[in-house]
């Protein structure tokens, strides 16, 4: 992880960011109502769809996603003018492992 465990937990302490991580666990199911711009399994979910699903402004979602990316929990890919985010499962697994060893 690029941030300390405490910093990562602070990032996940925001209910919306935590909800986004849950949705990104199953992107096809969680975003079925939105027409994909690119393959969700490979590239993730478009920030426009994240904004629509949360009801938050796109700039707010971009800030949230940047926080998750700095924490190493998601990675971004630009496709045309759209940024897509997908969950980094290995980093999530590492976070869970760190928590199991500490708690």
């Amino acid at each position: 992880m690029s941030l300390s465990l405490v910093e990562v937990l602070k990032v996940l302490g925001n209910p919306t960011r935590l909800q986004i991580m849950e949705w990104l666990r199953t992107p096809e199911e969680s975003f079925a109502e939105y027409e994909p711009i690119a393959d969700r399994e490979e590239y993730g979910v478009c920030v426009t769809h994240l904004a629509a699903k949360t009801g938050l402004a796109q700039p707010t979602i971009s800030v949230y996603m940047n926080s998750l990316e700095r924490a190493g929990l998601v990675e971004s890919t630009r496709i045309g003018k759209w940024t897509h985010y997908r969950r980094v499962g290995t980093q999530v697994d590492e976070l869970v492992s760190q928590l199991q060893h500490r708690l």
Side-chain angles (χ1 to χ4, degrees), residues 3-98:
L3 299 177
S4 74
L5 179 60
V6 171
E7 291 168 323
V8 172
L9 292 175
K10 284 180 185 178
V11 169
L12 291 173
N14 175 288
T16 301
R17 287 192 290 255
L18 184 60
Q19 179 66 68
I20 288 168
M21 288 301 297
E22 289 177 34
W23 289 333
L24 291 179
R25 192 165 180 233
T26 57
E28 288 295 336
E29 178 183 317
S30 298
F31 292 89
E33 67 269 29
Y34 302 99
E35 183 68 31
I37 296 168
D39 183 280
R40 288 189 180 126
E41 291 301 319
E42 185 173 351
Y43 299 106
V45 176
C46 178
V47 72
T48 303
H49 295 160
L50 290 165
K53 191 161 178 90
T54 61
L56 297 173
Q58 192 167 330
T60 302
I61 292 300
S62 293
V63 169
Y64 283 4
M65 298 313 293
N66 285 333
S67 296
L68 290 168
E69 190 166 30
R70 272 193 318 279
L73 299 172
V74 300
E75 60 185 13
S76 64
T77 303
R78 291 279 299 177
I79 299 176
K81 64 180 182 176
W82 296 281
T83 302
H84 288 67
Y85 289 94
R86 77 180 185 91
R87 185 176 170 270
V88 179
T90 56
Q91 292 297 81
V92 173
D93 292 344
E94 182 182 324
L95 172 62
V96 171
S97 177
Q98 284 184 28

